[in-house]
Structures are given as structure tokens and as C-alpha cells.
Amino acid sequence: MNNSILTDVQQKVLKLWDKEGFLDENVEVIAHVLTTEEAIGNPEGDDFPLQRGNEKLMEATFRGEKGQAFTDRFGNFSAPLRDICNRPLDNNFSRAIFIATLNAVQRSLGKAERTIHCRDEGPKLCGPQFADYLMEKYGKVRITQIGFQPAMISALSKKFEMRVVDLDPDNIGTVKNGVPVGGPEDTEEAINDAELLVVTGSTIVNDTLGNFLRADKPTVFFGTTVAAAAELMGWERFCCQSS
């Protein structure tokens, strides 16, 4: 496993939650799978991963606050916070439960924001804003995007030379806005070719996030899944249309 980073996250929040007294309370965390319309509404286009059923958003609720995690292994779940913290993080389902819970609990503490996926026109609006943000901060760099997000590819490809890598066989080998989508075997070459990595936050759930934190080039995460972890660990994240 590439789990040392997630273990660091887990250990940090355990100390924080123990200090807050959360672990001694019998507070149930309820996680459930959102329908496509609940998760993303009705955006333009029909090629978002959430619309195709391969992945879903799991949503956890803690003291009325909600946090989400994007995952390909999903299901409903309910348990006390201490049980979730002690659950082995050895598969995508367990990691999704923990990350959704992390986002909900940290949001309740005011230590995470924008933990709820954008809806309807949100993805379309986010892409150009993200492109402007990257151009202003990093200039006209070569980008490798990890994770298929069609609205983002559409916006970034207008301003940057870019490559895209994804895990979904349905995306691999396709071309989006003139950008070919590679698979896992293309990852290392695509990373080496890039000056900036733009990485989906769901890599923290599929346990590949550590592959994209490089000393030799910057990484910007996008999406709600990594919200609390990015805040906790000091990782750069952009997610302007979420709530």
C-alpha cells in the first residue's frame, strides 16, 4: 500500500478528535451513496464519471455537517466515530468511509470547507476559473492531469499543453478536446513530461495520492474528496464551485 500518507493523516486527526472528546462520544457517523442527481445535478454533457455509474459519491454526516468521498467501491454505512477511526484502511470502501467522515468532522470543527460536490453548471464554471488560477500562479506550463474530468480538460486544454491519465478503461484511449487519455502504464512518462501536476483528490481514496507529491514539481489537487486532508497536510487544492 501507498498508505503512509493516509496513515499520517489518520494519526493527526485522531489526536485532534481525541482532544475534542469526539472519540469518547457515541456519535454515529452515517454514510450513504448519493444518486447521480443528488451528487451533481444536471450538468452540461453526459461523460462525467458520476453519470456513468462506475464511481459514486459517498456522503457522511456528523453533527449535521456533511462530507463526501468519490469512490468506485461504495455502500451505505453507519458506525460510531471511534469504530471508523479503528477500521483498517485496506480497500477503497474503507478509505472512502474514513475520508467522507474526515471531511464531515473537520467541517464541523471549521477546519475544512467546500466538502460538497458542485452541481448543475458548477463544473462548467469551475474549469475556466481553474485555468485562470493556474495561468496566474504558474504561467504557461505543461500540465499532466490525473483523473478524467471533462469540463476541466475542456478548459485547461484551451490554455495549456496537457496530458491526461485515468484508471477507467472506458476513458483510456479516448480523446477529449484533442487531448488523448492514457492509462496507468502512461503515468510515469506523463508525470516526467509535466511541469505541473493537476490531480483529482479521489487519489486519496484509491491510495495513489503519494505518487503525485513530487519534490521536483508542484501538485494542485482538485475536488471535494481531499478537502480536509489538504487543509490538514498543507497541500494546494482548488475547488471553487463546491459548497
Side-chain angles (χ1 to χ4, degrees):
M1 294 180 75
N2 194 357
N3 216 326
S4 60
I5 289 176
L6 190 53
T7 299
D8 288 345
V9 171
Q10 186 183 40
Q11 289 175 345
K12 283 193 174 187
V13 297
L14 281 174
K15 290 179 182 177
L16 176 63
W17 295 348
D18 188 44
K19 184 178 179 180
E20 293 288 336
F22 289 168
L23 300 184
D24 295 322
E25 295 183 24
N26 189 29
V27 178
E28 289 282 311
V29 177
I30 301 171
H32 72 285
V33 181
L34 299 179
T35 66
T36 301
E37 188 167 350
E38 285 175 325
I40 200 171
N42 295 288
E44 290 188 13
D46 58 4
D47 54 353
F48 289 87
L50 282 171
Q51 294 171 308
R52 291 158 52 181
N54 298 331
E55 297 180 286
K56 298 288 186 183
L57 270 178
M58 284 182 60
E59 182 176 87
T61 302
F62 178 82
R63 291 183 169 179
E65 297 291 351
K66 299 182 184 299
Q68 297 175 342
F70 198 57
T71 179
D72 63 346
R73 293 187 64 180
F74 40 82
N76 298 335
F77 187 83
S78 178
L81 184 58
R82 184 180 290 277
D83 290 357
I84 291 174
C85 293
N86 291 329
R87 185 184 179 96
L89 302 177
D90 55 4
N91 59 58
N92 286 2
F93 180 59
S94 291
R95 288 189 287 268
I97 290 169
F98 174 72
I99 292 299
T101 300
L102 171 66
N103 284 330
V105 177
Q106 292 298 91
R107 182 176 178 129
S108 78
L109 289 171
K111 298 182 181 296
E113 58 182 17
R114 299 192 177 276
T115 64
I116 306 298
H117 200 290
C118 61
R119 294 169 47 81
D120 300 326
E121 291 188 342
K124 180 183 176 181
L125 296 172
C126 176
Q129 290 176 282
F130 193 23
D132 290 344
Y133 171 83
L134 295 178
M135 182 65 75
E136 181 176 344
K137 183 165 184 178
Y138 295 102
K140 198 170 181 62
V141 292
R142 292 189 309 278
I143 289 175
T144 286
Q145 179 174 315
I146 305 297
F148 184 85
Q149 210 284 5
M152 198 165 289
I153 297 170
S154 176
L156 297 186
S157 64
K158 290 180 173 68
K159 291 194 172 188
F160 301 95
E161 179 184 342
M162 69 181 299
R163 299 177 66 166
V164 177
V165 176
D166 196 56
L167 293 176
D168 189 338
D170 291 341
N171 295 327
I172 296 168
T174 64
V175 177
K176 181 69 178 178
N177 293 97
V179 180
V181 181
E185 68 280 2
D186 304 306
T187 302
E188 196 61 31
E189 179 188 347
I191 289 174
N192 291 336
D193 188 46
E195 296 171 292
L196 173 68
L197 302 180
V198 172
V199 180
T200 173
S202 59
T203 52
I204 198 169
V205 170
N206 67 32
D207 203 27
T208 61
L209 181 146
N211 298 334
F212 311 114
L213 291 174
R214 301 292 179 110
D216 59 337
K217 60 194 64 180
T219 298
V220 182
F221 292 99
F222 63 89
T224 54
T225 302
V226 77
E231 182 70 25
L232 192 71
M233 304 298 285
W235 302 327
E236 186 176 3
R237 178 179 77 114
F238 188 91
C239 198
C240 66
Q241 291 295 317
S242 52
S243 58

